[in-house]
Amino acid sequence: MLAWSPDTTHANRISSGYWYPAQSIEGFSLTHFSGRGVVCLKDIPFMPTIRSVTASPGTNFSQFALAFSHRNEQASPGYYCVRADNGIEAELTVSTRAGIAQFRFPAKSTAR
C-alpha cells in the first residue's frame, strides 16, 4: 500500500519513481503509480531543503533537487537511506500499511 521512495525522474521524463542513472532527487513520495506516462503521477513529494523557498518547488524542480552519489545510498526491501551532497540525510521505511520518514539536516543550517 505504501512505496516510500526517492523520485529522480522529472528531469529525465521517466514516468515513475526512481531511475538509477539519475544524480539528483526531486522529492520523496509515499506512492508511485507506474505505466501511464504521467510525470507528476499525482504524488505529493516531500522535499527537505536548506535553501530559502522563494519559488514553487513544484514548478522549479532543479532549484530544490538534491544532488547525491550512489556511494551514499542504502536500500533494501522496505528501507531506503541517502545522504545528499549538501549534507541532508533522508531515511525512509515502510510496512504494509504505514511509512515513516526521518530527515536530518546539517548542523547550523536552516531546515525547511
Side-chain angles (χ1 to χ4, degrees), residues 21-83:
Q23 296 181 4
S24 64
I25 295 170
E26 297 169 348
F28 298 92
S29 295
L30 288 167
T31 60
H32 294 87
F33 180 68
S34 179
R36 295 290 182 194
V38 179
V39 176
C40 185
L41 304 177
K42 307 289 188 226
D43 285 341
I44 300 174
F46 292 82
M47 189 60 188
T49 186
I50 55 178
R51 296 178 51 135
S52 295
V53 180
T54 58
S56 169
T59 56
N60 296 281
F61 291 102
S62 62
Q63 288 184 24
F64 297 95
L66 295 175
F68 75 102
S69 167
H70 292 298
R71 292 185 310 264
N72 297 322
E73 283 183 302
Q74 295 177 14
S76 60
Y79 177 81
Y80 177 82
C81 182
V82 65
R83 182 174 36 86

Side-chain angles (χ1 to χ4, degrees), residues 76-110:
S76 60
Y79 177 81
Y80 177 82
C81 182
V82 65
R83 182 174 36 86
D85 293 355
N86 66 2
I88 293 174
E89 294 180 28
E91 191 171 20
L92 316 171
T93 188
V94 297
S95 66
T96 303
R97 293 184 174 84
I100 297 173
Q102 176 173 275
F103 301 111
R104 288 184 286 286
F105 296 86
K108 300 182 182 178
S109 67
T110 302

